[in-house]
Amino acid sequence: RMSYETADSQKEEFRKYLEKNGIISQLTRVLVGLYEEPERPANSIDYIKKYLGAPTGVDVEELRAENDELKRHNADLESKVASLTQQLKELQTEQDENEG
């Protein structure tokens, strides 16, 4: 009997959590949207992801590789900017010395 009450209270706690965070209403909208679709999508999971705004058909590994490449490129450019800034300072110093 004790474990039955514990399971019930856990269910009730979980239900309150779902309600409080708007999960129930969001899922209801998704399911109603799916129900109202004139043609049922072949992949209902992709439909639900799309409905919730999640990207579908994305190659995560490809995006990670591209991101790493862009980070490397950005670091190279930052290094070049630092180098050119240093050269510019040196030239300005040299010019000031020659004028003085």
Side-chain angles (χ1 to χ4, degrees):
R1 173 146 172 87
M2 188 67 161
S3 65
Y4 178 74
E5 287 174 7
T6 305
D8 267 1
S9 66
Q10 285 177 338
K11 284 179 187 175
E12 181 59 18
E13 219 174 276
F14 186 63
R15 188 194 62 74
K16 285 179 182 174
Y17 161 79
L18 293 176
E19 211 168 76
K20 180 183 169 207
N21 289 284
I23 296 169
I24 291 175
S25 60
Q26 184 69 14
L27 287 176
T28 301
R29 281 196 292 276
V30 171
L31 294 175
V32 167
L34 186 58
Y35 174 77
E36 291 175 346
E37 273 296 312
E39 291 185 29
R40 300 278 186 264
N43 189 332
S44 55
I45 297 298
D46 274 355
Y47 171 87
I48 291 169
K49 285 180 181 177
K50 194 177 198 177
Y51 193 98
L52 293 173
T56 56
V58 173
D59 185 340
V60 175
E61 284 308 310
E62 188 179 318
L63 287 176
R64 280 196 183 120
E66 182 182 359
N67 189 35
D68 289 345
E69 177 59 33
L70 290 172
K71 284 179 181 177
R72 278 193 296 276
H73 186 63
N74 190 45
D76 288 347
L77 291 174
E78 286 176 354
S79 175
K80 285 178 185 170
V81 167
S83 174
L84 290 170
T85 302
Q86 184 58 38
Q87 286 178 35
L88 183 59
K89 282 181 185 173
E90 289 168 7
L91 288 171
Q92 286 172 337
T93 303
E94 195 177 293
Q95 185 178 9
D96 291 345
E97 289 172 355
N98 287 339
E99 287 177 356

